[in-house]
Amino acid sequence: MSVLVVAEHLRGELRPVTLELVSAARELEGPVAVAAIANDPTHLADQLNVEGVDEILAVRVAPDEFENDVYQQAVEALIEQRAPDVVLTAFTVNSMGYAPALAAKLGLGFASDVFSLRNEDGALVAERSFYGAKVNAELEFPGKERVLLMLRPTAWPPAEGAGSATVTEVEVPLNGSRARHLDFHEVEAADVDITTADFLLSVGRGIGDKENLAQFEELADSMGATLSVSRPLVDAGWMPNARQVGQSGKTVQPKVYLALGISGAVQHLAGMKTSGTIIAVNSDPEAAIFNVAHYGAVADLFEVAEELEKLF
Ligand SMILES: Cc1cc2nc3c(=O)[nH]c(=O)nc-3n(C[C@H](O)[C@H](O)[C@H](O)COP(=O)(O)OP(=O)(O)OC[C@H]3O[C@@H](n4cnc5c(N)ncnc54)[C@H](O)[C@@H]3O)c2cc1C
C-alpha cells in the first residue's frame, strides 16, 4: 500500500511525531513518501531522510509556519498528483484543522486518534478507542480506495537510522490563504504540576462560585494536597488550564484523589480513574463519580469541607 505522510514542523524543526508517522507507514509494507510543506522544505528534507522513507516531496509555500488552508490545498493537490492508498497525518491540533475537512471533501475513508494499523491482505485495518477509552475497535474501510488516518502521537517509536530517500521538488497550485500566522505567544509556566502530586483535592462545579475557591485552596494547603479542578472551572477562567484533570486536561494518578462536587463525566474520568484511592463527595447519589470511587459520601461538600478544616 503506498503511503503519503504529512510532516509537521514548528519554527524550522521537524516535530517528533513526524518520525512516528514514518514508523507507522512502514508497517503498511509499501512505498513511503513524506511531504514537507514549508517555506524552506529542503532544510526539513535533511531531518526527514530516515530509514524507511523512499521519497521526500518538498513543497514550497509562502508561510513559514503551519496554516490550515495552505495545508489543505497542498495535501489535496499531492493526493491528486500521487494517488497514495493511505494518507497519514498526526492527531494534533494542526492536522485537526484541515485533515477531517479534506477527507470529507474528497470522500476518503477517515479515522482519527488511531493507535495501531496493519495491512491485512491488501485491506487497511486501523484501531482506535471509543466511549472515553472504554472500548477499542478495529476499523475497516470497505469501498474506499483511499483512506486518511490521523495517528495518535507517541503510539509508534520514532523512525531512526540514515535513509536514502530521493528529494523531489513539487509545485502545487495554491489560491492564497485566508489566515496568516503572525506570532508565537509562550504559555506561562504552570505554577504546579498536578501530574506528579501524590494527593489531589479536586473540586468541580459543585463549589458554586469563584469566591468559594479560596476556601478549597486553603483546605488543600492544610491537608498537604494539591488543588486540581474539573473543566468548567477552567472554562469559567477561575483556574489555569494546568490544574484541569481530564481528557482535555491532565491525566493524573495520585495515591489519593478526593473529588468534591464533581459529577464524573467520562471526559473527567478519563484523566483520573486510575488514581490509587478515589474518594468522592457529591449530594447526588446517582452521580457517575461513585462508579469509580473506592469511598463515597452522599453529602454536602461544604459540610464535609468544614469537618476536614477542623481536622487539619
Ligand atoms: C471534548 C470534551 C472534552 C472535555 N474535557 C474535560 C476534561 O478534561 N475535564 C473535565 O473535567 N471535563 C471535561 N469535559 C466536560 C465534561 O463533559 C463535564 O461537563 C465536566 O466534567 C463537568 O464538570 P463538573 O463535574 O465539575 O460539573 P457538573 O457536571 O455540573 O457536576 C457538578 C456536581 O456537583 C454536585 N454538587 C452540586 N452542589 C453540591 C454540593 N453542595 N455538595 C456536593 N455535591 C454538589 C452535583 O450533584 C454534580 O454532580 C469535556 C467535555 C468535552 C465535550
Side-chain angles (χ1 to χ4, degrees):
M1 244 165 236
S2 59
V3 185
L4 172 67
V5 169
V6 184
E8 288 208 2
H9 58 91
L10 183 74
R11 302 182 192 197
E13 293 303 317
L14 204 63
R15 296 182 90 178
V17 69
T18 306
L19 299 177
E20 298 165 21
L21 299 183
V22 170
S23 292
R26 282 159 55 171
E27 291 178 10
L28 295 177
E29 301 160 2
V32 177
V34 182
I37 303 167
N39 186 252
D40 181 11
T42 43
H43 167 65
L44 292 173
D46 293 340
Q47 301 172 52
L48 281 170
N49 197 357
V50 291
E51 208 178 326
V53 176
D54 297 293
E55 188 179 14
I56 295 162
L57 306 174
V59 183
R60 196 173 297 279
V61 294
D64 283 330
E65 297 297 339
F66 173 84
E67 294 292 357
N68 283 329
D69 48 357
V70 170
Y71 267 59
Q72 181 165 342
Q73 293 176 64
V75 177
E76 181 175 351
L78 289 174
I79 290 173
E80 274 165 19
Q81 289 176 19
R82 299 274 160 167
D85 297 315
V86 182
V87 181
L88 297 182
T89 71
F91 187 52
T92 56
V93 68
N94 281 9
S95 296
M96 270 183 247
Y98 77 93
L102 187 57
K105 184 178 176 198
L106 302 181
L108 311 181
F110 175 79
S112 61
D113 201 16
V114 169
F115 56 79
S116 140
L117 48 71
R118 65 178 188 274
N119 174 350
E120 197 166 275
D121 304 324
L124 179 66
V125 180
E127 199 175 355
R128 62 155 295 159
S129 57
F130 290 90
Y131 305 117
K134 285 200 179 77
V135 176
N136 289 347
E138 290 196 334
L139 306 173
E140 293 170 10
F141 306 90
K144 292 291 181 191
E145 67 169 322
R146 185 160 300 122
V147 176
L148 189 154
L149 299 179
M150 305 187 74
L151 305 190
R152 180 185 294 179
T154 73
W156 281 266
E160 307 173 316
S164 53
T166 54
V167 180
T168 312
E169 295 208 6
V170 182
E171 298 269 332
V172 295
L174 296 175
N175 291 321
S177 172
R178 282 170 298 168
R180 271 286 165 272
H181 171 265
L182 296 180
D183 207 357
F184 286 102
H185 287 262
E186 305 300 337
V187 176
E188 277 174 36
D191 56 342
V192 289
D193 181 2
I194 61 171
T195 64
T196 55
D198 277 344
F199 180 12
L200 286 176
L201 168 62
S202 207
V203 295
R205 190 145 48 189
I207 68 161
D209 271 318
K210 185 179 182 187
E211 286 64 46
N212 295 333
L213 255 181
Q215 177 186 351
F216 296 96
E217 281 172 324
E218 279 168 31
L219 180 60
D221 253 6
S222 55
M223 293 172 81
T226 302
L227 190 71
S228 57
V229 298
S230 65
R231 176 162 158 174
L233 279 65
V234 175
D235 287 348
W238 298 357
M239 286 298 263
N241 186 265
R243 298 263 184 168
Q244 180 188 321
V245 173
Q247 182 186 310
S248 52
K250 302 272 191 265
T251 301
V252 297
Q253 204 173 19
K255 288 186 181 140
V256 178
Y257 190 83
L258 171 56
L260 303 182
I262 293 178
S263 60
V266 282
Q267 297 89 353
H268 188 83
L269 301 186
M272 48 61 74
K273 66 182 175 194
T274 57
S275 300
T277 301
I278 299 170
I279 307 166
V281 177
N282 198 303
S283 50
D284 174 6
E286 301 296 322
I289 191 88
F290 290 129
N291 297 334
V292 297
H294 302 97
Y295 300 95
V298 177
D300 182 284
L301 68 90
F302 293 100
E303 286 176 17
V304 173
E306 225 172 89
E307 292 304 315
L308 288 171
E309 280 157 11
K310 287 182 201 158
L311 288 173
F312 292 94

